[in-house]
Amino acid sequence: MDDDGRYRDNRSDFIRGAKDIAKVAKKQVGKKVGRGVDKMADEYTRRSYKRFEEEDDDDDYAGVPGNDGGYYRNDSRANDDEGHSDSTEGHDEDDEIYEGEYQGIPRGDSSGKAGGLDGVTAAQAQQFRDLSAYEGERRKDQEELAQQYETILQECGHGKFQWTLYFVLGLALMADGVEIFVVGFVLPSAEKDMCLSEPNKGMLGLIVYLGMMVGAFVWGGLADRIGRRQTLLISLSINSVFAFFSSFVQGYSSFLFCRLASGVGIGGSIPIVFSYYSEFLAQEKRGEHLSWLCMFWMIGGIYASAMAWAIIPHYGWSFQMGSAYQFHSWRVFVLVCAFPSVAAISALSTMPESPRFYLENGKHDEAWMILKQVHDTNMRAKGYPERVFSVTTIKTVKQMDELVNLGDGAAWHEKWRIKLTSLFHQVWSNFQTVFSPEYRRTTYMMMAVWFSMSFSYYGLTVWFPDMIKYLQKQEYSSRTKVFVKEKVEHVTFNFTLENQVHRQGEYFNDKFMNLKMKSMVFEDSLFEECYFEDITSSNTFFKNCTFIATLFYNTDLFKYRLINCKLINSTFLHNKEGCLLSDISDENNAYMVYFVSFLGTLAVLPGNIVSALLMDKIGRLRMLAGSSVISCVSCFFLSFGNSESAMIALLCLFGGISIASWNALDVLTVELYPSDKRTTAFGFLNALCKLAAVLGISIFTSFVGITKAVPIMFASGALAAGSFLALKLPETRGQVLQ
C-alpha cells in the first residue's frame, strides 16, 4: 500500500474511533460532550484533508499543531519525563489524560507520548472508561488517601501550626457572629435617620439572613472546586467592602442592598471555616478543637454588644453636612464591626491552602510541601527541629477533566463565559451528588435536624428580646399619668413632658417652648392662641383636637401626628426636616438591650467548654441529642417568665444549653461527607439553616404580646423532632476524615 493509502487508512481509523467515542460519551456523560467529540472528528477531517492537499510528502505530516487560543488550558502536562510529578501515581502511561479545555487532539509537541496522529487509532477510545468503573476507582483512591492522610497528620502532630490557623479562622467565624447582631443593634437609631416604616424595619432585620443563605450555598459549592482558602478570601472581601459602604450610604434602599451583599459575603464563613480547619486535624483532636473553634462565634457576639454599648449611645460621635448627609454614632458602630473581617483577610493571606483539597484534585507536590510545612513548624515549636518529614509519596485521587471546546481564535470574554459556565456545571453536579443514593438518606436526615434546630434557636433568641421589650412597655404603660378636663391659661411649658394622657383639656394662650415630648397623648382637647416652638417629640399624638389661631415654629409635630384634628387659622413655620436623632431616647433602655445581648452571648461559654471536653468522649450523636432534649425541656420554663429578669435568666439558660447541639452538629456535618463534597453539603445545610431562621423569626415574633403557648409549642416540638432524628444518623467519632 502506498503512502497516500496508509494516510487515508489512518485517518479513517481515527475518524471511526472518534465516532465510537462520541457514542460512548453520549451514553455516559451526556449528549453535549458527545457532540463535542463529533465536532472534534469533523474538525480533524477538515484539517487533515487540507494538509494532505497542500503537502506532497506524507512524511512531513506530524499532526495538528497546537493553538494557544484553542483547546488547551495550559501546557502543564506536555510530555516531559523530567517534569513528572508524583501526582500522576496510579496512572499508567497509556491512561494519561491531558489537561486542557479539550481532551481530544494531542499537540504536535506531545508526539512522544501520543505517538503522533499516526498512532491515534481506535485504541485511544479505551481512555474513555465506563463512568461507573471510573467512580469506583475514584472512590478507592479516596479511601486509600483518607487512611494515608490520617497517618500523615499523626506524624505532623498538633501544635503551633494548628493553633495559628485556629486564631486566623476564628477571626472569620467572629465576623459571622458580629454580622448577626449588627442590624438589630443599629435599627432603633437607623429607623430615625431613614424614617423607616414597620415593614421596612422588618425587612432590614431579615435581609442579613437572606444574604447569608445565598452566600452559604454559593461559597460552599465553590470551595470544593477552587479551594477553601481562595473562596474564603473572596467571601470575606465582599463582606468587608459592603460592610464599609453600608456605614456611609444614606438611603434605605442602598443600605438594604449593602447589608444584603455583606450577608452574602459572610455566608461562606461557617461552611468553609469548619471544613478548612478539620482537614488539618488528626482524628483524636478533631471533635474537641472544632468545638473550641465555635468559641469565636460567641466572641463575635460579645464584641458586637460591647461596641454597641460603647459607641451608639454617644450621639456626639457624629457630624452632618446640611440635612442631606448625616453620619451618626450608629454608623461608626457599623464601621467598627467590619474590623474582624478585615483582620481575617490579612491573617488568612499568610496561611496555605488545605493539602487535602490539593490531593483530592491531583496536586501532589503542592500538598506535600504544605504538609511538610505543618510538620516542620510543629516540630520546631516542640524543640525537635532535627526530625525529618518521612513521607515521600502521597496518594492522589484520579481526575477527569471536562471536554470543553473553546474554538480557534475565541475572544477573551467568550473564554471566560465558557469557563464560568463550566464551573457552574461542576458546582451544580457536585451538589447533585449530595442527593445521590449513597448520601441521600444522610442528607435528608441532616436537613431535618438543621431545620428544626435553626427554627427553634433563632426563633426563640429573637423572641426573647422582643418579649423583654414588650414587658418593659407594659411596665412603662402602667406608670402613665392621666389628666381629664384640665384648664390651663397663660402658662409656659419649657420642661420635658413624658408618659402622660390628657383628655378633654382646654389650653388658652399657652406657650410650649424648647420642649421635649415623649409618649404624650392629647385627646379631644382645645388649643386656642397657643404657641409651639422648638418641639422635639417621640411617640406623641394629638387625637380629635382643635387648634385655633395657633402657631407651630421649628417643630417636628408633622401632620401625621395630628389625627382627626381641626386646624383653624393655624400656621406651621420652618418645620424640622427629616427624621433627626434626638436626645430624648431612653439611654437606659438602649444600654439594657446591649447588656441583655451581652449576657445571652456570654452564657454560651459553659456550653462551649463542656461540649469541647466531651465531644470526643461521648460522641457527636449523644452530645447533639442530649443537648436538644435538655433544650426542649427548658422551653417549658418559658411559661414562668413573667418579668424582665426572669426572661433574661431563661434566655441565658437556653443559650448555654443549646450551644452544645450546634457544636455537635457542625462536627457531624464535617465528618459525614467526603472531602470533595464537604463544603458543598455544609453550605447547602447552612443555607437551609438561614431559611429556617427567617421562618422562625417571622412566626415567633408575630405572637409577642398575644400568647406564649404557640412559640413554646413550636420550639419544643422542633427540638424534640431534631433530637429523635439525630439518633438515626451514623456516629462519626473515631473515624478517619473521608
Side-chain angles (χ1 to χ4, degrees):
M1 182 180 295
D2 58 7
D3 291 341
D4 292 349
R6 284 194 301 271
Y7 173 75
R8 283 190 290 271
D9 288 344
N10 287 336
R11 187 189 68 229
S12 300
D13 288 343
F14 177 79
I15 295 172
R16 283 195 298 271
K19 295 295 183 181
D20 292 338
I21 292 169
K23 293 178 182 179
V24 174
K26 288 178 181 179
K27 293 180 180 179
Q28 300 291 343
V29 292
K31 294 183 179 179
K32 183 176 180 180
V33 178
R35 287 196 298 269
V37 181
D38 272 334
K39 188 173 181 180
M40 176 194 73
D42 294 338
E43 177 70 9
Y44 175 73
T45 303
R46 183 184 66 79
R47 292 190 180 192
S48 60
Y49 270 122
K50 183 177 179 181
R51 179 67 64 90
F52 179 65
E53 291 173 356
E54 292 177 351
E55 299 180 6
D56 294 329
D57 188 0
D58 182 61
D59 293 336
D60 293 338
Y61 184 80
V64 179
N67 190 324
D68 294 336
Y71 302 130
Y72 295 87
R73 289 191 182 96
N74 53 58
D75 296 331
S76 60
R77 289 269 186 106
N79 183 39
D80 186 353
D81 293 339
E82 295 179 358
H84 180 69
S85 169
D86 290 331
S87 63
T88 59
E89 182 187 353
H91 295 272
D92 296 329
E93 278 305 298
D94 292 335
D95 292 337
E96 185 68 65
I97 297 178
Y98 294 86
E99 284 187 351
E101 301 294 352
Y102 203 93
Q103 300 292 350
I105 305 172
R107 289 177 177 268
D109 60 0
S110 62
S111 57
K113 183 180 288 284
L117 288 178
D118 291 339
V120 180
T121 64
Q124 190 155 339
Q126 299 302 317
Q127 293 180 1
F128 290 84
R129 300 176 179 178
D130 181 79
L131 186 60
S132 60
Y134 162 75
E135 288 295 340
E137 293 176 7
R138 182 176 173 83
R139 190 177 300 109
K140 182 179 179 182
D141 288 346
Q142 288 175 327
E143 292 173 357
E144 293 179 11
L145 171 60
Q147 296 294 334
Q148 186 184 10
Y149 193 77
E150 178 62 33
T151 304
I152 294 173
L153 288 179
Q154 296 284 352
E155 179 178 342
C156 292
H158 188 92
K160 180 181 178 180
F161 183 91
Q162 280 85 356
W163 283 112
T164 302
L165 185 62
Y166 168 80
F167 286 104
V168 171
L169 296 180
L171 289 172
L173 202 59
M174 179 179 171
D176 182 272
V178 170
E179 190 75 19
I180 293 291
F181 291 93
V182 170
V183 173
F185 287 158
V186 305
L187 202 53
S189 300
E191 67 175 314
K192 299 174 184 177
D193 260 12
M194 301 179 182
C195 301
L196 299 181
S197 63
E198 288 299 323
N200 286 344
K201 288 165 57 179
M203 177 55 69
L204 192 56
L206 295 177
I207 198 67
V208 174
Y209 291 97
L210 296 176
M212 295 174 78
M213 178 180 69
V214 175
F217 183 80
V218 172
W219 302 122
L222 286 175
D224 276 331
R225 300 305 306 171
I226 66 176
R228 281 79 162 107
R229 175 181 174 273
Q230 182 176 350
T231 307
L232 187 57
L233 281 172
I234 296 172
S235 66
L236 289 174
S237 298
I238 292 175
N239 169 252
S240 58
V241 167
F242 283 98
F244 175 81
F245 285 152
S246 68
S247 67
F248 293 96
V249 296
Q250 295 295 299
Y252 167 73
S253 298
S254 54
F255 184 75
L256 188 72
F257 172 76
C258 286
R259 296 318 304 182
L260 173 65
S262 177
V264 171
I266 202 61
S269 177
I270 289 180
I272 298 176
V273 162
F274 284 101
S275 301
Y276 189 6
Y277 193 47
S278 69
E279 292 168 355
F280 286 93
L281 297 174
Q283 170 187 317
E284 70 274 5
K285 296 284 186 180
R286 194 183 308 126
E288 176 185 349
H289 286 273
L290 286 176
S291 299
W292 288 127
L293 186 62
C294 295
M295 295 273 287
F296 279 92
W297 197 92
M298 175 198 72
I299 295 173
I302 294 175
Y303 174 83
S305 302
M307 291 298 101
W309 196 343
I311 296 173
I312 294 180
H314 296 279
Y315 301 118
W317 294 16
S318 62
F319 67 89
Q320 64 183 64
M321 292 180 287
S323 60
Y325 189 87
Q326 302 169 354
F327 192 90
H328 294 292
S329 57
W330 67 268
R331 296 182 181 274
V332 179
F333 166 72
V334 172
L335 190 62
V336 169
C337 285
F339 289 172
S341 184
V342 174
I345 294 171
S346 302
L348 188 60
S349 301
T350 65
M351 304 306 296
E353 178 58 84
S354 164
R356 184 64 179 268
F357 170 79
Y358 277 147
L359 293 170
E360 291 285 344
N361 288 273
K363 298 181 179 180
H364 173 277
D365 295 347
E366 294 89 337
W368 185 89
M369 291 296 294
I370 294 171
L371 289 170
K372 183 178 185 301
Q373 176 187 351
V374 175
H375 174 274
D376 294 348
T377 301
N378 289 341
M379 292 304 109
R380 284 195 298 268
K382 294 178 180 179
Y384 304 106
E386 71 281 358
R387 291 191 180 179
V388 179
F389 187 50
S390 63
V391 178
T392 58
T393 303
I394 309 174
K395 184 68 178 178
T396 56
V397 179
K398 192 177 297 296
Q399 303 298 303
M400 176 180 285
D401 291 331
E402 282 197 344
L403 303 175
V404 180
N405 186 0
L406 292 181
D408 293 330
W412 66 269
H413 58 83
E414 185 67 16
K415 294 180 181 180
W416 272 104
R417 185 189 66 81
I418 293 176
K419 288 181 179 180
L420 291 176
T421 302
S422 175
L423 179 61
F424 170 78
H425 286 301
Q426 292 172 19
V427 171
W428 182 250
S429 176
N430 205 34
F431 168 69
Q432 289 178 315
T433 60
V434 174
F435 291 91
S436 63
E438 183 178 359
Y439 303 104
R440 184 179 300 153
R441 181 180 180 276
T442 297
T443 299
Y444 284 140
M445 297 288 286
M446 290 295 288
M447 287 173 62
V449 175
W450 271 91
F451 188 92
S452 61
M453 285 283 299
S454 180
F455 179 81
S456 57
Y457 176 81
Y458 285 101
L460 283 180
T461 51
V462 175
W463 180 77
F464 272 117
D466 284 355
M467 277 298 299
I468 292 174
K469 291 179 183 177
Y470 173 76
L471 293 173
Q472 289 176 338
K473 185 177 179 180
Q474 291 293 99
E475 193 272 337
Y476 184 78
S477 299
S478 67
R479 295 187 280 108
T480 301
K481 296 179 180 180
V482 180
F483 301 88
V484 181
K485 295 183 179 181
E486 62 177 354
K487 293 184 179 182
V488 181
E489 297 180 358
H490 309 290
V491 174
T492 299
F493 296 88
N494 56 4
F495 49 87
T496 299
L497 296 176
E498 180 179 356
N499 198 18
Q500 299 175 7
V501 175
H502 297 261
R503 295 192 179 104
Q504 300 176 3
E506 295 181 8
Y507 305 89
F508 179 76
N509 198 20
D510 294 323
K511 294 181 180 180
F512 299 82
M513 303 176 64
N514 300 318
L515 186 62
K516 297 176 182 178
M517 294 182 175
K518 180 179 180 182
S519 299
M520 293 292 296
V521 177
F522 294 88
E523 297 179 352
D524 303 311
S525 298
L526 172 64
F527 296 85
E528 185 174 358
E529 297 183 12
C530 292
Y531 179 68
F532 291 83
E533 180 182 355
D534 195 19
I535 304 298
T536 305
S537 62
S538 173
N539 196 30
T540 296
F541 299 95
F542 297 82
K543 301 178 180 179
N544 302 316
C545 295
T546 301
F547 296 87
I548 301 175
T550 298
L551 176 64
F552 297 87
Y553 182 85
N554 192 31
T555 72
D556 64 357
L557 298 177
F558 306 114
K559 291 188 176 181
Y560 74 87
R561 296 188 184 275
L562 309 180
I563 303 173
N564 297 326
C565 293
K566 295 180 181 180
L567 298 172
I568 302 174
N569 296 328
S570 298
T571 306
F572 289 84
L573 294 176
H574 301 288
N575 287 338
K576 293 184 178 180
E577 297 180 358
C579 300
L580 301 177
L581 283 173
S582 62
D583 295 328
I584 66 173
S585 59
D586 191 344
E587 292 189 5
N588 292 328
N589 286 341
Y591 280 118
M592 178 58 68
V593 171
Y594 310 142
F595 182 66
V596 169
S597 298
F598 177 85
L599 286 180
T601 308
L602 188 62
V604 306
L605 179 61
N608 266 320
I609 295 174
V610 171
S611 64
L613 296 177
L614 298 181
M615 188 69 71
D616 287 319
K617 293 182 173 60
I618 67 175
R620 287 69 163 136
L621 296 187
R622 290 181 181 177
M623 179 68 70
L624 174 57
S627 177
S628 297
V629 169
I630 299 175
S631 298
C632 177
V633 173
S634 69
C635 286
F636 289 101
F637 290 100
L638 297 177
S639 58
F640 301 103
N642 296 320
S643 66
E644 185 178 327
S645 57
M647 293 301 296
I648 294 174
L650 290 171
L651 170 63
C652 296
L653 175 64
F654 179 78
I657 295 172
S658 60
I659 192 63
S661 298
W662 284 110
N663 293 357
L665 192 58
D666 290 333
V667 175
L668 194 63
T669 305
V670 164
E671 296 177 336
L672 279 176
Y673 292 94
S675 296
D676 62 334
K677 301 174 182 63
R678 181 169 296 123
T679 58
T680 299
F682 206 140
F684 166 69
L685 293 171
N686 199 251
L688 183 68
C689 163
K690 297 304 184 289
L691 176 62
V694 171
L695 293 176
I697 292 171
S698 302
I699 293 174
F700 280 48
T701 53
S702 65
F703 291 99
V704 172
I706 299 176
T707 178
K708 294 180 182 177
V710 175
I712 292 173
M713 180 181 65
F714 279 167
S716 300
L719 290 170
S723 61
F724 173 77
L725 293 173
L727 294 174
K728 303 295 183 181
L729 290 166
E731 176 60 77
T732 58
R733 180 181 56 152
Q735 297 181 7
V736 298
L737 198 64
Q738 296 184 59

